Amino acid sequence: MTTVKVATPKAAARAPAKEVIKDASMLKQKEMMAAHYDRLTSAPETGAKVAATFVPGNLNELVMCFDLLNNLPEVNAIQNGLRRVSGSYVLEAEKIGHSEDVCTYVKSDIGMMAKGNIAPNGKKFPNPDVLLLSYTGCFTFMKWFELLREQYKCETIMLHTPYMGDGKITKGMIDYMVKQLREEVIPTLERVSGVKFDIDRLRENLKRSSKAEDDLVRVLQSAKAKPSPIDAYFGGIYYIGPIFGAFRGTQDAIDYYRFLREEVEDRLAKGQGPVTPDGDMGKEKYRLVVEGPPNYTSFRQFWKMFYDEGAVVVASSYTKVGGVYDFGFRHDPSKPLETLAEYCLGVYTNRSLPMRIDMLVNYINEYEADGLLINSIKSCNSFSAGQLLMMREVEKRTGKPAAFVESDLVDPRYFSAANIKNRLESYFQMIDQKRSGANAAA
Amino acid sequence: MATSLNPQATADIVARANALFEDLSFGTARAWKEAVPGRKVVGYMPIYVPRELIHAADMLPLGIVGGGDQLEVIHGDAYYQSYICRIPRSTIELGVSGRLDFVDGMLFPSICDVIRNLSGMWKLMFPKVYSRYFDVPQNYRDDIGGNFYINELAELRHDLGELRGKPITDDELRSSIAVYNDNRRLIRELYALRAERPWQAPAAEVYLMVRAGLLLPVEEHSALLRHYLAAARAEERPMRDNCRVVLTGMFCEQPPLNLIKSLELSGCYVVDDDLLLVTRWLTGDVEIEGDPLRNLSSAFLHHSESTAAKYEPNQKEKGQHLVRAVKRTAAEGVIFAAPSFCDPALLERPMLQHVLKEAGIPYIAFKYAENSGQMQPIREQAGTFADSIKLWSAA
């Protein structure tokens, strides 16, 4: 497998040109995403219909049964964050009356609409034909689509996922969701698309999902090795892109995850660490578990603070936000509607706080991590509320140090590089002290 | 349960309610529990839980709506980042400081991500206390959302029965529904009185009367309401030249009492609000005959308040509850008052404002926290709003 140097247009405009090193799988994914955005923006010409929907609770296998294209506002907000245009969109949304206190994904999306709804390929996004409100683990999604419905005035379908407050999925929860799918979601999608539902088609899509999920899990679990061949947070964000987005259930996803797995296994066999934007990472000094989403407006700068210090993330909760697969769940074609319900119920932020803590403790132990780092996101209560208790609990149960930094998803005003760097440096020193203390005791 | 209050003395009744409001140790609930061995108290947070189930288990439902502006938060802040609202940190403070050490159970309703996550925190921090996240459907079909909700109710009923040591019977539930129907009728009567003659039932008094319902046994609260209604009707009070406003966005974290008083002092009679919605969440009587869980479910699905925590399936209906509230109470404007960092209220606000704009209803907006101390800016903003409404009305 190869890594490729890519001169970014922005970097090229400034001197000297800075080359970004990318895995071959990253380039493959970039092509997939570009093709997807082209399919979306050419929908008015091709006549394709569009369903806007969310990442956690994403029913892509079902959406594809109706020949609908899947447009994900969160992914668009992330793209706008990475391209550093989200800040102006957030400001635009605040200018038209949205509070400074609320989710910046929402404001980035609303601001983008207000400024012409331009996709990353420079063309206009089509208006959705349907808003599929299949959300899980976050109340904001519900308000987000009510806000979009007000603008687009299109059909909106609600699929309500109950919360796993008691840490279990009950028959009542599954029955509720399956009935919603059978009697409300599917008939409305049939009406909007003009395509009759075929459960065998859904089964085929689910079968493909399961294959890709197997490979994703093998990639994520490769981080148990020392050194880890992947970064399961910053790199992990690339790895989850296709399966959390518009590709789960497609042959493209199967091909991508097989390719990715082979790439990672190759690095594993050679004893190599992760590929960073500056090339192969140096010696692995710290192994971390990270809780919380990343900051996207300074994504590369944030990542650099880790790999410059030899810190690699071996497991993260964010890479489970669109589905938790590493504890055994796979989409099951033998029970197509039930499996969609189970998938929605099981995503990370739909799990109770004690379940989330158990997962993090498990990661620290299984991946032999040095500790937990929490990146607390200002505008994401679903993740952030309770994180300080999570930190204490994980420290108590593992004996490993934890640290806390704060930033935001796509609002550049809340990324303080100096502050985060200081805290990270102190944290790495703390790990060193803990180690030397342990060595002295031994 | 009778009260010993003189039904004629409004000030006495209000003083009693105010004492309950100010008691951060929940002395009345503690006394209720201690009066009979084996009694249990179940706390609940905003916005809605079926209190009938708790009552039917012979327990006291106790509303926990944060610590207000008199509670010094010492430990609670260590559990929350600065960008999270105030109510969870003061609730944690109440718990950690031992003020809730007599509470046998806690219910965390489906309102937002913060309260949802608090339910898990409570399980970890107070493992000996029964705690439950109480989910409600966002689908309003009886055969879909209704069935799910009946299951949720049945699970809660089972758990409370276990906590009591004896299952809750249908007849016990029916009798509790009747008691709460009576209480809801009185609350509606109180709101109707204020909408008709707001100078006779000032907003701060109405708030205290309703808030007492979160702290007292329901029978005692109904008696208190009857006394207050009689007293407020009997006592002539001067009418001010205030405008009439509907207050919205305060359904979870409570504003300081001074904020409510400040609005009236600055020229705004509050003629409707969404404070303490649990007391009037169900907008009509719940059917008593038949299956009580099905009846509670039907009331929830078809006869309950609209608020930001609920999905509105019909775009044309979005925000119309506010327009109807304005018309019903002959209000002249709306004040959006939301707690800082309150996702549901703040995300909802632009949609409601668009609806009001289309209906030609003026509005203003501000944020607060339960411990806001500085009222002058709010007084000025509300005063200017009242003045401008008077000017428009004259034109």
Side-chain angles (χ1 to χ4, degrees):
Chain A
M1 291 296 150
T2 54
T3 54
V4 179
K5 294 177 180 177
V6 181
T8 61
K10 265 194 176 174
R14 298 181 219 115
K18 178 72 179 168
E19 288 169 334
V20 175
I21 310 298
K22 288 184 185 283
D23 284 327
S25 61
M26 282 185 184
L27 296 173
K28 186 174 173 63
Q29 184 181 149
K30 199 175 171 187
E31 285 168 19
M32 289 164 72
M33 291 300 290
H36 180 64
Y37 277 120
D38 286 342
R39 274 194 297 274
L40 274 174
T41 54
S42 59
E45 294 88 63
T46 61
K49 291 193 172 170
V50 175
T53 191
F54 291 114
V55 168
N58 175 340
L59 303 177
N60 202 42
E61 298 89 347
L62 187 66
V63 168
M64 289 194 300
C65 290
F66 301 94
D67 299 327
L68 291 161
L69 293 176
N70 172 334
N71 190 12
L72 298 143
E74 293 147 285
V75 176
N76 299 337
I78 291 169
Q79 292 289 336
N80 290 329
L82 291 168
R83 291 162 55 236
R84 300 192 173 196
V85 291
S86 57
S88 67
Y89 293 160
V90 169
L91 285 176
E92 182 68 20
E94 289 177 3
K95 205 166 78 186
I96 57 179
H98 292 268
S99 170
E100 63 270 28
D101 290 355
V102 301
C103 174
T104 49
Y105 274 169
V106 177
K107 286 187 286 187
S108 174
D109 193 34
I110 300 271
M112 182 180 78
M113 283 169 67
K115 287 190 158 190
N117 229 3
I118 302 302
N121 62 5
K123 296 174 187 165
K124 192 175 181 310
F125 273 118
N127 287 355
D129 296 282
V130 60
L131 296 165
L132 176 54
L133 181 41
S134 61
Y135 69 106
T136 174
C138 166
F139 276 83
T140 295
F141 288 131
M142 188 169 82
K143 296 289 110 184
W144 190 343
F145 268 14
E146 283 189 339
L147 284 159
L148 292 196
R149 180 179 64 182
E150 190 190 35
Q151 300 289 316
Y152 290 121
K153 298 184 175 27
C154 66
E155 187 114 37
T156 306
I157 313 170
M158 155 67 92
L159 173 67
H160 175 221
T161 301
Y163 180 60
M164 283 173 73
D166 279 339
K168 58 183 187 229
I169 295 175
T170 64
K171 184 178 175 299
M173 292 174 178
I174 297 280
D175 289 349
Y176 174 45
M177 292 196 69
V178 167
K179 208 160 164 68
Q180 288 180 81
L181 285 166
R182 189 173 285 139
E183 297 192 21
E184 302 218 314
V185 177
I186 290 172
T188 314
L189 287 173
E190 281 183 325
R191 193 174 65 245
V192 170
S193 66
V195 176
K196 192 155 175 47
F197 176 59
D198 175 357
I199 200 157
D200 290 328
R201 193 173 168 189
L202 176 60
R203 284 199 172 95
E204 288 305 311
N205 294 341
L206 292 165
K207 212 181 288 177
R208 282 191 288 273
S209 293
S210 178
K211 276 189 190 166
E213 287 157 5
D214 279 341
D215 281 335
L216 170 69
V217 170
R218 286 174 69 173
V219 167
L220 294 176
Q221 292 188 339
S222 71
K224 289 181 183 175
K226 289 182 180 177
S228 167
I230 63 164
D231 185 289
Y233 184 53
F234 297 102
I237 274 131
Y238 291 96
Y239 305 152
I240 58 175
I243 208 157
F244 284 8
F247 293 92
R248 205 182 64 224
T250 66
Q251 186 59 41
D252 275 348
I254 293 179
D255 295 344
Y256 169 79
Y257 284 99
R258 188 189 304 122
F259 186 79
L260 175 66
R261 176 175 56 82
E262 287 168 3
E263 185 178 81
V264 169
E265 282 174 349
D266 186 50
R267 298 189 69 77
L268 189 65
K270 290 174 182 162
Q272 293 174 321
V275 176
T276 75
D278 287 328
D280 283 341
M281 198 178 125
K283 189 174 169 0
E284 177 183 291
K285 285 169 64 184
Y286 308 104
R287 295 168 63 83
L288 305 178
V289 170
V290 173
E291 146 75 11
N295 164 272
Y296 283 106
T297 51
S298 301
F299 185 78
R300 199 176 148 195
Q301 188 184 7
F302 192 23
W303 190 355
K304 190 170 165 58
M305 291 178 196
F306 288 72
Y307 62 73
D308 276 355
E309 298 288 338
V312 62
V313 180
V314 290
S316 64
S317 57
Y318 186 62
T319 49
K320 315 300 173 330
V321 79
V324 175
Y325 299 109
D326 50 349
F327 299 119
F329 172 80
R330 296 288 182 277
H331 280 92
D332 181 354
S334 73
K335 42 174 190 173
L337 299 185
E338 289 80 359
T339 203
L340 289 174
E342 279 174 37
Y343 155 73
C344 290
L345 286 158
V347 302
Y348 180 70
T349 49
N350 202 52
R351 293 171 178 237
S352 69
L353 217 73
M355 293 176 85
R356 284 169 60 183
I357 292 169
D358 287 345
M359 270 178 76
L360 295 170
V361 168
N362 177 289
Y363 286 152
I364 288 181
N365 293 332
E366 290 259 313
Y367 289 73
E368 296 184 49
D370 294 300
L372 172 73
L373 177 78
I374 294 179
N375 181 37
S376 184
I377 294 294
K378 175 189 175 281
S379 65
C380 182
N381 285 339
S382 173
F383 262 102
S384 301
Q387 280 177 328
L388 286 161
L389 179 66
M390 292 172 85
M391 185 169 79
R392 291 181 199 190
E393 283 290 315
V394 171
E395 275 189 329
K396 194 169 77 186
R397 290 198 216 168
T398 63
K400 300 282 172 66
F404 206 82
V405 296
E406 295 174 329
S407 65
D408 192 60
L409 295 162
V410 293
D411 189 339
R413 293 173 295 184
Y414 297 102
F415 185 82
S416 167
N419 197 359
I420 291 174
K421 199 166 190 321
N422 277 344
R423 287 204 193 184
L424 284 177
E425 283 170 359
S426 304
Y427 181 49
F428 297 137
Q429 283 170 17
M430 202 197 315
I431 293 174
D432 287 337
Q433 281 167 10
K434 195 110 181 162
R435 276 182 188 158
S436 53
N439 289 340
Chain B
M1 205 178 294
T3 75
S4 60
L5 292 165
N6 170 1
Q8 300 303 315
T10 315
D12 288 350
I13 300 169
V14 173
R16 166 97 200 280
N18 194 54
L20 286 166
F21 168 75
E22 286 181 348
D23 178 11
L24 292 170
S25 296
F26 305 97
T28 307
R30 284 176 187 272
W32 179 89
K33 181 172 172 167
E34 283 161 13
V36 178
R39 274 185 170 174
K40 290 194 165 58
V41 176
V42 173
Y44 61 88
M45 293 204 67
I47 41 179
Y48 172 72
V49 297
R51 295 181 296 174
E52 292 86 343
L53 264 68
I54 305 169
H55 182 266
D58 303 320
M59 298 174 190
L60 176 70
L62 180 70
I64 310 287
V65 288
D69 59 354
Q70 296 304 307
L71 179 73
E72 189 184 0
V73 173
I74 299 163
H75 309 285
D77 281 335
Y79 291 85
Y80 287 101
Q81 302 89 314
S82 56
Y83 41 78
I84 288 174
C85 58
R86 176 94 187 163
I87 185 171
R89 63 190 77 223
S90 61
T91 304
I92 291 271
E93 184 72 30
L94 291 172
V96 172
S97 62
R99 290 177 171 89
L100 298 176
D101 58 6
F102 66 105
V103 172
D104 304 281
M106 274 291 278
L107 299 179
F108 299 87
S110 169
I111 178 167
C112 72
D113 297 321
V114 173
I115 301 298
R116 186 198 68 180
N117 289 2
L118 182 59
S119 70
M121 291 173 71
W122 214 263
K123 281 182 192 290
L124 291 164
M125 295 175 71
F126 306 101
K128 290 181 183 161
V129 174
Y130 167 75
S131 71
R132 182 183 174 89
Y133 175 75
F134 183 71
D135 218 342
V136 296
Q138 297 288 358
N139 174 295
Y140 306 114
R141 264 176 60 174
D142 288 287
D143 61 334
I144 301 180
N147 284 347
F148 168 72
Y149 190 53
I150 288 169
N151 272 338
E152 287 293 303
L153 290 170
E155 283 181 19
L156 180 60
R157 172 185 180 165
H158 168 266
D159 289 357
L160 293 173
E162 294 256 292
L163 200 59
R164 176 173 72 166
K166 192 172 76 169
I168 299 170
T169 66
D170 280 358
D171 280 341
E172 282 176 321
L173 250 178
R174 287 187 193 105
S175 145
S176 296
I177 288 172
V179 170
Y180 275 95
N181 277 346
D182 180 49
N183 188 261
R184 281 186 286 264
R185 278 195 292 268
L186 289 162
I187 299 263
R188 287 199 294 273
E189 206 180 315
L190 176 63
Y191 268 61
L193 168 67
R194 183 179 61 171
E196 193 191 336
R197 286 179 288 162
W199 57 93
Q200 291 293 102
E205 284 188 12
V206 169
Y207 178 76
L208 289 172
M209 284 302 123
V210 178
R211 180 82 180 252
L214 273 65
L215 304 162
L216 290 173
V218 60
E219 299 84 352
E220 197 174 335
H221 182 238
S222 293
L224 189 74
L225 287 172
R226 283 194 171 89
H227 287 185
Y228 178 80
L229 282 163
R233 283 185 178 120
E235 188 177 321
E236 280 304 316
R237 290 171 162 183
M239 184 176 78
R240 292 166 186 263
D241 184 27
N242 280 6
C243 71
R244 301 164 62 88
V245 299
V246 171
L247 197 53
T248 188
M250 298 171 146
F251 48 82
C252 184
E253 181 175 319
Q254 298 299 287
L257 192 60
N258 264 343
L259 193 155
I260 301 173
K261 288 178 182 167
S262 294
L263 293 178
E264 290 202 332
L265 285 172
S266 60
C268 298
Y269 276 136
V270 177
V271 290
D272 200 4
D273 61 56
D274 60 357
L275 290 154
L276 306 170
L277 272 181
V278 66
T279 58
R280 55 196 186 288
W281 180 263
L282 304 180
T283 54
D285 280 0
V286 179
E287 186 67 45
I288 292 172
E289 297 306 314
D291 178 353
L293 296 190
R294 195 160 290 283
N295 293 340
L296 283 169
S297 167
S298 177
F300 179 90
L301 295 178
H302 308 300
H303 306 289
S304 60
E305 284 287 345
S306 293
T307 188
K310 278 171 79 176
Y311 175 62
E312 172 50 67
N314 180 0
Q315 171 61 22
K316 285 184 184 155
E317 250 313 293
K318 187 77 199 171
Q320 292 305 317
H321 68 283
L322 206 48
V323 176
R324 282 194 289 271
V326 167
K327 288 183 181 160
R328 185 179 64 241
T329 58
E332 296 157 285
V334 171
I335 294 181
F336 289 92
S340 294
F341 307 109
C342 174
D343 277 344
L346 293 169
L347 285 160
E348 183 90 341
R349 196 174 68 186
M351 290 182 275
L352 299 182
Q353 289 178 339
H354 294 160
V355 171
L356 293 185
K357 200 169 182 183
E358 207 159 288
I361 298 166
Y363 57 82
I364 55 165
F366 59 79
K367 292 191 293 185
Y368 66 89
E370 64 177 6
N371 63 338
S372 292
Q374 180 56 267
M375 292 303 149
Q376 192 56 27
I378 287 170
R379 214 176 273 186
E380 282 170 11
Q381 199 181 347
T384 308
F385 185 54
D387 291 346
S388 63
I389 284 176
K390 290 288 173 196
L391 284 171
W392 291 334
S393 303

